[in-house]
Amino acid sequence: MTPRLPGLIVLVTTALLAGTATATAGSPPPQPSSHELSESSRLADRRSLVVGDRAYAMGDESGLYPATGWHIRGEMGGFWTQPIKLLDGLWFGLDGQWLGKDVAAAKYTSGHGYSRIDYPGSVQVRRTDFVPDGVRATLVGLTFSSPSKKTVTLDVDAHSELMSSYPWGWTTPSAADANLPDTGAYGNGSLQFRDRDYAAYVGSSLRPANHALGPNHRGPQDPAVICPADGTTPARCDDSLVGKGTGGRLSYDVALEPGREQTIWFAVAGSDAGPAAARREYDRALKNPGKLLQAKAAVRRQIDQMSAVDLPGDRLLQQSVEWSKQNLADSVQEARNLRIRDVNEGKDYPAPVGTVDTARWFGAGFPDYPWLFATDGEYTSYAAVAAGQFDTVKAHLKALRDISDLLNARSGKVAHEIVPTGDVYFGSNQSAGNTDETVKFPSIVALLWRWTGDDRFRDDMYDFSVRNLQYVYRELDKDGDGWPEGLANVERSGMGAEKLDSTVYLARGLRDLADLAASRHDRNVQQWATARATDLEARFEAQWWVPQALGYADSIDDPTTPANDNTPIFQRHWTGVTPMEAELVRPGRPTSPLASREHAATALDQREKPCYTGEFGLFHTGTGPTSDPAGNSGPSCDPVVSQVKSERSIFSLNTSIMAVAEGNYGRLGKNQQQVYTTGNARIQLDPKVWETPGAMPEIAPSPDSPANIGRPFYDRSMTLQAWGTYGVLWPVVHQQLGVDPDLGHGRVAVVPQLPAGQSKVAGSNIRLGRGSIDVAARLTGKELRTDLTVQHVKAAFTVGAVLPAGAKVDRVTLDGRATPYRLVSTARGTEVRVTARGSAVARITLA
C-alpha cells in the first residue's frame, strides 16, 4: 500500500526595481568583487549552486536545468526547500530567445552567498541568484541594460516537481510509488503548483501581460529527454521516469531606457504545510529582495572576517581558507517537524516513533547528500570551530542527539543518515553501524566546549556522551578485548569485524569523555573512561602495527572465528592514517595522536609515495606491487600483497585526514602537509580543476574517478561536500597558527609553527568563546616572533613557537623583557612555551 504523503504548493514571482539609482527594493545585485570566482568555459557542463538555510537551487552554469543526481535519479537538482522539491527549473526567454540556449552565457560567477550569469547581446542581461536565510524561497534577479529605448518581451517558464526527499529510487516504497501528479493554476500574477499539502509559488510583483498553463513549459528543454532507470543512458536528460510535474509560463512587457539598468526579481517559494504557508514565504521573499540580499551579504562578510588569515608563502591556501568558510555557511540546512522512523536501508516504512520539531545541521553534500549525517558532521565540526561557526556545530550535535534518542530508545547509539523528512536510512539499534560516529560524538562535544567554554552546552550533551561509549562496550565488544566491532568509514569486503578507525576514535573519545567527566566532578565516569583508555593505548601498537606493511592494519579478524586470534588485516585503505590524525588529550601530557612518533614517521612516509598519493591527494585504497588494475608492478611500496583491488579515488576527506596527520607531527613541508592542503585547495580554486568555482567537491579528478565535468549530471559525485574543509581550516588555524584553546578549563595555548621555507603566518578575529584573538608568527633572521592580541577572552594564556628542526634557544623575551620559558617535547617538535596574561609579544632568539 502506497503511504499517503503531505501535499505541496510552489509560487514564483518577480519584483521590479526601477534601476540601480532609484531601486525601491534595496540595493541592486552585487557588482564584481575580490570575493568572486568566475568561469567562462563549458558552462553547460558545470553545476551551479546557491544555498540558504531553508532552501537551495541547482542548475547548470548556463542557466538551464539538466536532470541531476542519483538518489532520486534526475530529480536532485532544481529548486528545494527541506524536505521537499519545488521545481525542476526556471527558464527565461527574451523576445523569443531562451537565455542559456539561444543566447549563450558568457560567464558564470560564484560570490559569497550568491551566483551570477552574464549574457551578452543587444540587450545585456545579468542574472543573480541567491537564497535568503530564514525564508523558504530562492530569488532570481534579472538586470537588463540596453543602449537604446525599447520594450522587450520576457517569458518565464516554470516546471514543477513537488516531491519529498524520501522515498528514493530504490526504496520500498520508491519515489515512483510516492510521487503523485502536480496540478497547476494561475492567480494574482503568479503560477501556483500543488500536490496535496506541498505547494509552490512562482512569480514577481510585476503583473504579467499573459500567462499559460500546460504539462511542459521547460523553456528550451521541451520536449524533455527522459532519463531511463538504467541501461544505456543519454549524456544529458531533462526529467526522470518518476517525474509527475506540470508547468506554466508568465510573460511580461519590460520597458528599457538607454543607459539605465533595470532589475526584475523573481521568487520560487514553497512549503510542505499547505498553500497558505507557501504564500507567506512567497510574500516574504518579494517584499524587499534587495534588503534580503543586503542581509545575506552582511552575514557572509561577518563569516569572511572571522579567522581571516594572511599566508604570504601560500596564497592559494589563504584563498582556500576564505572559500572554505563560505562552503561551511553554504552547507547549513534546517527542517521542521521531522517524523522519526527507521526505514532499514529503504526496506521498511513503519509508523514514526516521534517528532523532532526543528533540526539544523551541516548538510553533507549537494545535490545528493544535503541531509544530516553523523560521520560527515563530526569531521566538519573541526573546520567549523576553526572558522568560528560554533552555533551550527551545537545545532548539528543537538539534532543528532534528539533523533538518535528517539530512534534508538536512548541506547546511546548515534544514527548515521537522516533525511529531512525524519526517515533514518541507517543507524538504528537493529543495523550494523556505524561504530566510528558513536565513539566520535563525545569528542565533538569536548571540542566545542574547549573552543567556547560553554558549560551549559557540555551539561546538555553530557548524558548522551556517556551513553555513547557505554553502548559500545555493552553491545560492540563481544569478545571483551577492548577493540570495538561493527562498521566504520570503509565498507569493503574482506575486512575484519574490528576496525582501525573505530579503535582510534574510541581511544580519543574515552579521553575526551574523561575530561568532560572531570570538569563535572563525575569521578565514576572519569575513572571508568580513563581506565579503558589507558588499557587501549598500552596495547594498541602491539596489536595494530604491521611491520612488513610499514603501516597500521585496517582491521582485525572476526572475533567469533574459531581461531579468535585477532590477526591484523592490511588492505591499504585511507583509514590507516587515522592513528596519526586523531589527537588525544591526556592529563599532564602534551596533546598528541595515538600513533608513536617512530611508527607515525614510517607510516606517513609510506603514504606520501605515489602508490598512496596522487596529484590531488590521498587515494581511498592504495596500490601495491600486484594491485595495479592493469597488472603492472606499480611504484615500490610495501611487500604485502593485498587481495583488495586498489581504489585510486581521491576524496577530499581522505586528503584532509592526511593533511591533519602530517601537521600533528610537524610535517608542514612542501612534500608533506602542503601536498594535501594544496590538493584540496586546487580542486576548490584551480580553474583547470573545479566544476563549481569555490566549492570543495566530494571527489577530486582521480585515476579511478574521472572528473565530474565529463560525466552525466545524474552520475556525478557532490559538487560541494562540507568535510573537505577539515583539511584546510584545521591545518591553518590549529596547526600553523597553533591555536589550541581549552576554555572549559580556562586555558588557551597559542604556539605557531611556520611551514618550512615560509617566514610568516597570521590570522585575525579567531573566535574563542565570546571573544577573539589575533595571531602572527614570523621568522626574521634568527628571531622567531609570535604576536598575540586578545579581545574579550578570559583565560590563562601560553604563547610560544615550535622550533625549527635542530634549532637551539639563546634567549626569550615577553613584551621586550627576558622571561622564563619551558622547552616541551611534543609530536610536532620542540615547543617554546611562555606564560602570558593576555595580549603579548614573544621573541625567541635562536643560537
Side-chain angles (χ1 to χ4, degrees), residues 47 70-71 327 364-370 373 376 492 574 616 618 620 649-656 679-680 683-684 689-692 695-702 705-706 708 711 715-725:
R47 287 174 291 188
W70 50 266
H71 264 107
N327 287 177
F366 294 84
D368 276 286
Y369 290 114
F373 280 83
D376 299 66
R492 297 295 187 272
W574 65 269
F616 298 109
L618 189 70
H620 180 283
S649 297
I650 300 171
F651 288 75
S652 55
L653 175 63
N654 307 350
T655 301
S656 295
N680 270 1
I683 62 176
Q684 180 187 40
V689 183
W690 69 34
E691 182 189 0
T692 303
M696 182 81 73
E698 179 187 16
I699 304 177
S702 315
S705 291
N708 276 325
R711 299 165 64 176
D715 185 32
R716 296 186 179 186
S717 62
M718 304 309 99
T719 194
L720 172 62
Q721 188 89 9
W723 62 19
T725 59

Side-chain angles (χ1 to χ4, degrees), residues 7-64:
L8 165 70
I9 291 184
V10 179
L11 303 175
V12 179
T13 70
T14 63
L16 178 64
L17 301 185
T20 56
T22 59
T24 59
S27 298
Q31 301 298 311
S33 77
S34 60
H35 300 306
E36 295 183 341
L37 294 170
S38 295
E39 179 60 69
S40 58
S41 69
R42 298 185 63 182
L43 299 183
D45 296 328
R46 304 177 188 273
R47 287 174 291 188
S48 66
L49 178 66
V50 287
V51 185
D53 57 4
R54 301 304 314 277
Y56 63 93
M58 175 173 280
D60 72 26
E61 294 180 13
S62 74
L64 303 182

Side-chain angles (χ1 to χ4, degrees), residues 91-311:
W91 297 266
F92 298 96
L94 194 63
D95 286 338
Q97 301 291 299
W98 290 105
L99 301 183
K101 180 69 172 180
D102 305 310
V103 180
K107 183 172 65 174
Y108 175 86
T109 299
S110 289
H112 290 184
Y114 62 91
S115 69
R116 187 174 64 250
I117 305 175
D118 293 318
Y119 300 96
S122 58
V123 175
Q124 295 185 349
V125 182
R126 185 172 70 245
R127 171 178 172 166
T128 302
D129 292 38
F130 81 101
V131 184
D133 291 322
V135 184
R136 302 183 73 176
T138 297
L139 283 160
V140 180
L142 296 185
T143 300
F144 301 91
S145 59
S146 172
S148 61
K149 182 176 181 178
K150 64 172 60 178
T151 297
V152 297
T153 298
L154 175 63
D155 291 322
V156 182
D157 267 13
H159 192 269
S160 74
E161 192 58 82
L162 296 168
M163 63 162 51
S164 173
S165 55
Y166 190 89
W168 300 333
W170 62 88
T171 58
T172 303
S174 69
D177 299 325
N179 191 26
L180 296 183
D182 299 350
T183 59
Y186 172 81
N188 296 320
S190 65
L191 298 173
Q192 304 168 14
F193 303 109
R194 189 169 181 182
D195 173 353
R196 291 156 296 187
D197 287 337
Y198 302 163
Y201 278 68
V202 181
S204 82
S205 57
L206 181 66
R207 194 78 177 184
N210 292 291
H211 73 274
L213 299 171
N216 296 314
H217 292 295
R218 295 183 180 89
Q221 293 177 231
D222 280 331
V225 176
I226 305 301
C227 297
D230 50 34
T232 302
T233 56
R236 185 178 176 114
C237 48
D238 306 299
D239 205 345
S240 76
L241 287 171
V242 305
K244 298 176 183 177
T246 189
R249 176 174 296 177
L250 301 171
S251 298
Y252 304 87
D253 294 328
V254 181
L256 302 177
E257 297 290 336
R260 183 183 182 188
E261 288 190 339
Q262 185 157 289
T263 299
I264 303 175
W265 283 105
F266 298 81
V268 177
S271 175
D272 53 340
R279 179 73 199 206
R280 286 193 296 270
E281 300 298 328
Y282 167 78
D283 289 341
R284 289 178 65 196
L286 285 174
K287 184 177 180 180
N288 195 329
K291 185 176 181 180
L292 290 174
L293 182 56
Q294 285 182 326
K296 181 89 175 187
V299 169
R300 292 310 182 93
R301 281 194 300 272
Q302 290 177 343
I303 289 169
D304 184 54
Q305 291 164 2
M306 290 190 292
S307 297
V309 303
D310 180 18
L311 309 177

Side-chain angles (χ1 to χ4, degrees), residues 596-679:
S596 71
R597 272 202 232 178
E598 178 187 2
H599 287 166
T602 299
L604 291 172
D605 283 347
Q606 278 298 100
R607 297 282 170 160
E608 291 169 1
K609 293 182 178 180
C611 45
Y612 285 103
T613 292
E615 180 181 2
F616 298 109
L618 189 70
F619 294 145
H620 180 283
T621 304
T623 67
T626 62
S627 59
D628 188 292
N632 300 319
S633 179
S636 176
C637 242
D638 52 73
V640 175
V641 177
S642 172
Q643 300 303 312
V644 174
K645 181 180 178 181
S646 65
E647 277 185 62
R648 295 171 302 167
S649 297
I650 300 171
F651 288 75
S652 55
L653 175 63
N654 307 350
T655 301
S656 295
I657 297 294
M658 188 65 179
V660 171
E662 296 269 41
N664 284 339
Y665 291 89
R667 300 163 61 103
L668 307 186
K670 289 186 178 296
N671 297 320
Q672 298 172 323
Q673 184 182 77
Q674 292 176 51
V675 171
Y676 305 96
T677 55
T678 299

Side-chain angles (χ1 to χ4, degrees), residues 6 80 92 135 178 181 201 342 523 571 585 643 647 687 722 734 765 796 804:
W80 287 77
F92 298 96
V135 184
Y201 278 68
D342 174 20
R523 191 166 180 81
Q571 297 175 313
V585 175
Q643 300 303 312
E647 277 185 62
H734 178 61
N765 199 20

Side-chain angles (χ1 to χ4, degrees), residues 710-747:
R711 299 165 64 176
F713 280 80
Y714 49 80
D715 185 32
R716 296 186 179 186
S717 62
M718 304 309 99
T719 194
L720 172 62
Q721 188 89 9
W723 62 19
T725 59
Y726 175 39
V728 171
L729 283 158
W730 193 250
V732 171
V733 176
H734 178 61
Q735 295 174 336
Q736 296 185 19
L737 293 174
V739 179
D740 189 17
D742 189 8
L743 288 177
H745 293 295
R747 303 186 294 256

